mmCIF file of all heavy atoms in Angstrom:
data_model
loop_
_atom_site.group_PDB
_atom_site.id
_atom_site.type_symbol
_atom_site.label_atom_id
_atom_site.label_comp_id
_atom_site.label_asym_id
_atom_site.label_seq_id
_atom_site.Cartn_x
_atom_site.Cartn_y
_atom_site.Cartn_z
ATOM 1 N N SER A 21 118.098 140.221 60.697
ATOM 2 C CA SER A 21 117.150 140.081 61.811
ATOM 3 C C SER A 21 117.941 139.936 63.123
ATOM 4 O O SER A 21 119.037 139.415 63.156
ATOM 5 C CB SER A 21 116.269 138.870 61.566
ATOM 6 O OG SER A 21 115.510 138.915 60.429
ATOM 7 N N CYS A 22 117.319 140.384 64.209
ATOM 8 C CA CYS A 22 117.939 140.239 65.531
ATOM 9 C C CYS A 22 116.787 140.011 66.515
ATOM 10 O O CYS A 22 115.911 140.823 66.676
ATOM 11 C CB CYS A 22 118.716 141.473 65.902
ATOM 12 S SG CYS A 22 119.256 141.511 67.615
ATOM 13 N N ALA A 23 116.841 138.839 67.182
ATOM 14 C CA ALA A 23 115.836 138.482 68.115
ATOM 15 C C ALA A 23 116.402 138.496 69.543
ATOM 16 O O ALA A 23 117.427 137.847 69.755
ATOM 17 C CB ALA A 23 115.268 137.144 67.820
ATOM 18 N N ALA A 24 115.719 139.131 70.402
ATOM 19 C CA ALA A 24 116.131 139.130 71.841
ATOM 20 C C ALA A 24 115.336 138.054 72.563
ATOM 21 O O ALA A 24 114.166 137.862 72.356
ATOM 22 C CB ALA A 24 115.876 140.475 72.406
ATOM 23 N N SER A 25 116.054 137.342 73.424
ATOM 24 C CA SER A 25 115.468 136.274 74.211
ATOM 25 C C SER A 25 116.048 136.209 75.597
ATOM 26 O O SER A 25 117.089 136.729 75.811
ATOM 27 C CB SER A 25 115.640 134.905 73.474
ATOM 28 O OG SER A 25 116.990 134.569 73.424
ATOM 29 N N GLY A 26 115.267 135.530 76.471
ATOM 30 C CA GLY A 26 115.763 135.414 77.855
ATOM 31 C C GLY A 26 114.832 136.138 78.806
ATOM 32 O O GLY A 26 113.631 136.265 78.531
ATOM 33 N N THR A 27 115.383 136.578 79.904
ATOM 34 C CA THR A 27 114.633 137.287 80.934
ATOM 35 C C THR A 27 114.479 138.728 80.542
ATOM 36 O O THR A 27 115.387 139.567 80.686
ATOM 37 C CB THR A 27 115.346 137.159 82.277
ATOM 38 O OG1 THR A 27 115.608 135.827 82.579
ATOM 39 C CG2 THR A 27 114.455 137.795 83.401
ATOM 40 N N ILE A 28 113.272 139.039 80.016
ATOM 41 C CA ILE A 28 113.034 140.383 79.477
ATOM 42 C C ILE A 28 111.772 140.956 80.052
ATOM 43 O O ILE A 28 110.664 140.376 79.879
ATOM 44 C CB ILE A 28 112.921 140.453 77.939
ATOM 45 C CG1 ILE A 28 114.314 139.905 77.363
ATOM 46 C CG2 ILE A 28 112.572 141.787 77.413
ATOM 47 C CD1 ILE A 28 114.215 139.692 75.852
ATOM 48 N N PHE A 29 111.865 142.084 80.762
ATOM 49 C CA PHE A 29 110.720 142.780 81.202
ATOM 50 C C PHE A 29 110.256 143.847 80.258
ATOM 51 O O PHE A 29 109.051 144.030 80.061
ATOM 52 C CB PHE A 29 110.977 143.438 82.622
ATOM 53 C CG PHE A 29 109.822 144.306 83.124
ATOM 54 C CD1 PHE A 29 108.766 143.702 83.673
ATOM 55 C CD2 PHE A 29 109.895 145.649 83.097
ATOM 56 C CE1 PHE A 29 107.697 144.423 84.137
ATOM 57 C CE2 PHE A 29 108.875 146.419 83.603
ATOM 58 C CZ PHE A 29 107.759 145.800 84.135
ATOM 59 N N GLY A 30 111.212 144.522 79.645
ATOM 60 C CA GLY A 30 110.887 145.527 78.606
ATOM 61 C C GLY A 30 112.087 145.868 77.803
ATOM 62 O O GLY A 30 113.235 145.707 78.216
ATOM 63 N N ILE A 31 111.829 146.276 76.604
ATOM 64 C CA ILE A 31 112.904 146.644 75.650
ATOM 65 C C ILE A 31 112.695 148.136 75.182
ATOM 66 O O ILE A 31 111.594 148.494 74.769
ATOM 67 C CB ILE A 31 112.995 145.768 74.390
ATOM 68 C CG1 ILE A 31 113.187 144.285 74.853
ATOM 69 C CG2 ILE A 31 114.085 146.210 73.469
ATOM 70 C CD1 ILE A 31 113.311 143.325 73.676
ATOM 71 N N GLY A 32 113.698 148.894 75.290
ATOM 72 C CA GLY A 32 113.651 150.261 74.785
ATOM 73 C C GLY A 32 114.112 150.381 73.370
ATOM 74 O O GLY A 32 113.637 149.630 72.502
ATOM 75 N N ALA A 33 115.131 151.191 73.107
ATOM 76 C CA ALA A 33 115.659 151.344 71.810
ATOM 77 C C ALA A 33 116.326 150.054 71.305
ATOM 78 O O ALA A 33 116.981 149.337 72.088
ATOM 79 C CB ALA A 33 116.602 152.470 71.759
ATOM 80 N N MET A 34 116.209 149.810 70.009
ATOM 81 C CA MET A 34 117.002 148.711 69.350
ATOM 82 C C MET A 34 117.627 149.317 68.147
ATOM 83 O O MET A 34 117.057 150.221 67.502
ATOM 84 C CB MET A 34 116.080 147.596 68.987
ATOM 85 C CG MET A 34 115.294 146.934 70.094
ATOM 86 S SD MET A 34 114.281 145.506 69.603
ATOM 87 C CE MET A 34 115.528 144.212 69.588
ATOM 88 N N GLY A 35 118.776 148.802 67.795
ATOM 89 C CA GLY A 35 119.465 149.378 66.669
ATOM 90 C C GLY A 35 120.503 148.478 66.066
ATOM 91 O O GLY A 35 120.759 147.400 66.543
ATOM 92 N N TRP A 36 121.069 148.982 64.994
ATOM 93 C CA TRP A 36 122.154 148.225 64.274
ATOM 94 C C TRP A 36 123.403 149.147 64.217
ATOM 95 O O TRP A 36 123.280 150.332 63.922
ATOM 96 C CB TRP A 36 121.744 147.886 62.892
ATOM 97 C CG TRP A 36 120.653 146.841 62.863
ATOM 98 C CD1 TRP A 36 119.305 147.043 62.871
ATOM 99 C CD2 TRP A 36 120.829 145.412 62.935
ATOM 100 N NE1 TRP A 36 118.655 145.814 62.895
ATOM 101 C CE2 TRP A 36 119.562 144.806 62.888
ATOM 102 C CE3 TRP A 36 121.951 144.603 62.985
ATOM 103 C CZ2 TRP A 36 119.365 143.472 62.919
ATOM 104 C CZ3 TRP A 36 121.786 143.267 62.985
ATOM 105 C CH2 TRP A 36 120.514 142.726 63.022
ATOM 106 N N TYR A 37 124.602 148.597 64.508
ATOM 107 C CA TYR A 37 125.807 149.258 64.343
ATOM 108 C C TYR A 37 126.662 148.392 63.397
ATOM 109 O O TYR A 37 126.340 147.213 63.148
ATOM 110 C CB TYR A 37 126.517 149.334 65.672
ATOM 111 C CG TYR A 37 125.877 150.343 66.585
ATOM 112 C CD1 TYR A 37 124.647 150.080 67.221
ATOM 113 C CD2 TYR A 37 126.461 151.552 66.958
ATOM 114 C CE1 TYR A 37 124.042 150.951 68.084
ATOM 115 C CE2 TYR A 37 125.930 152.450 67.867
ATOM 116 C CZ TYR A 37 124.677 152.151 68.382
ATOM 117 O OH TYR A 37 124.108 153.053 69.243
ATOM 118 N N ARG A 38 127.735 148.954 62.853
ATOM 119 C CA ARG A 38 128.660 148.177 62.026
ATOM 120 C C ARG A 38 130.092 148.590 62.278
ATOM 121 O O ARG A 38 130.349 149.705 62.677
ATOM 122 C CB ARG A 38 128.289 148.326 60.595
ATOM 123 C CG ARG A 38 128.500 149.682 59.975
ATOM 124 C CD ARG A 38 127.979 149.747 58.508
ATOM 125 N NE ARG A 38 128.193 151.047 57.937
ATOM 126 C CZ ARG A 38 127.732 151.407 56.723
ATOM 127 N NH1 ARG A 38 126.986 150.555 56.036
ATOM 128 N NH2 ARG A 38 127.982 152.584 56.228
ATOM 129 N N GLN A 39 130.981 147.641 62.039
ATOM 130 C CA GLN A 39 132.394 147.937 62.166
ATOM 131 C C GLN A 39 133.150 147.287 61.007
ATOM 132 O O GLN A 39 133.151 146.074 60.832
ATOM 133 C CB GLN A 39 132.922 147.347 63.498
ATOM 134 C CG GLN A 39 134.344 147.727 63.789
ATOM 135 C CD GLN A 39 134.685 147.518 65.238
ATOM 136 O OE1 GLN A 39 134.086 146.724 65.902
ATOM 137 N NE2 GLN A 39 135.777 148.139 65.699
ATOM 138 N N ALA A 40 133.756 148.151 60.236
ATOM 139 C CA ALA A 40 134.555 147.694 59.112
ATOM 140 C C ALA A 40 136.022 147.526 59.593
ATOM 141 O O ALA A 40 136.419 148.129 60.591
ATOM 142 C CB ALA A 40 134.533 148.684 57.968
ATOM 143 N N PRO A 41 136.818 146.728 58.873
ATOM 144 C CA PRO A 41 138.237 146.491 59.317
ATOM 145 C C PRO A 41 138.967 147.805 59.497
ATOM 146 O O PRO A 41 138.976 148.662 58.557
ATOM 147 C CB PRO A 41 138.755 145.630 58.201
ATOM 148 C CG PRO A 41 137.558 144.942 57.639
ATOM 149 C CD PRO A 41 136.439 145.943 57.710
#
Side-chain angles (χ1 to χ4, degrees):
S21 299
C22 171
S25 63
T27 307
I28 297 173
F29 176 74
I31 302 179
M34 300 183 81
W36 291 93
Y37 290 71
R38 68 186 181 187
Q39 188 166 18

